[in-house]
Amino acid sequence: QVQLVESGGALVQPGGSLRLSCAASGFTFRISAMSWLRQAPGKGLEWVSSVGAASGDTQYADSVKGRFTISRDNKKNTLYLQMNSLKPEDTAVYFCTNEGRLYYTRGPRGQGTQVTVSS
């Protein structure tokens, strides 16, 4: 079965950086679009970024464009999210899923990793 394990979340000060990882198994990772999602306290699930199977096609929500970079290592079956210039409004639980932007709400997710941006 599909397994997605997110890691790398932490408490960080505004302006700081984090790199999230998502270890994937149970499906053919190299041919799957992948996405990062997040859910802030008291809010709904928000799409953050997607990457196509070949890594060349990336998409970002306007709120993170220019600050976050999505990438993947198809040999390691791992998805990454490099987050720079973090803001308090980036505070959320971050999830990965093996769906692209169009169908991210119906994809499976892991347990998530908590990112807290606070001074």
Side-chain angles (χ1 to χ4, degrees):
Q1 69 278 20
V2 173
Q3 280 199 319
L4 300 162
V5 181
E6 301 93 342
S7 63
L11 170 64
V12 62
Q13 292 187 342
S17 297
L18 281 176
R19 188 194 196 200
L20 306 184
S21 299
C22 168
S25 62
F27 64 99
T28 309
F29 181 83
R30 69 180 185 279
I31 63 171
S32 298
M34 296 292 296
S35 297
W36 283 100
L37 317 172
R38 66 187 181 186
Q39 187 162 21
K43 296 188 176 181
L45 192 64
E46 177 188 12
W47 172 79
V48 174
S49 181
S50 294
V51 60
S55 296
D57 176 22
T58 58
Q59 299 173 297
Y60 298 92
D62 287 343
S63 58
V64 307
K65 198 172 295 183
R67 300 187 297 122
F68 290 11
T69 302
I70 191 171
S71 63
R72 62 191 297 160
D73 186 333
N74 286 345
K75 292 182 180 179
K76 295 182 178 180
N77 283 7
T78 302
L79 178 72
Y80 302 100
L81 186 68
Q82 177 66 43
M83 305 188 296
N84 299 327
S85 302
L86 283 161
K87 304 176 181 180
E89 51 264 42
D90 295 318
T91 295
V93 178
Y94 284 71
F95 303 91
C96 62
T97 185
N98 62 347
E99 289 285 351
R101 181 178 186 179
L102 191 60
Y103 298 114
Y104 73 89
T105 57
R106 69 180 194 186
R109 299 189 294 274
Q111 82 291 345
T113 186
Q114 176 71 49
V115 172
T116 303
V117 184
S118 175
S119 54

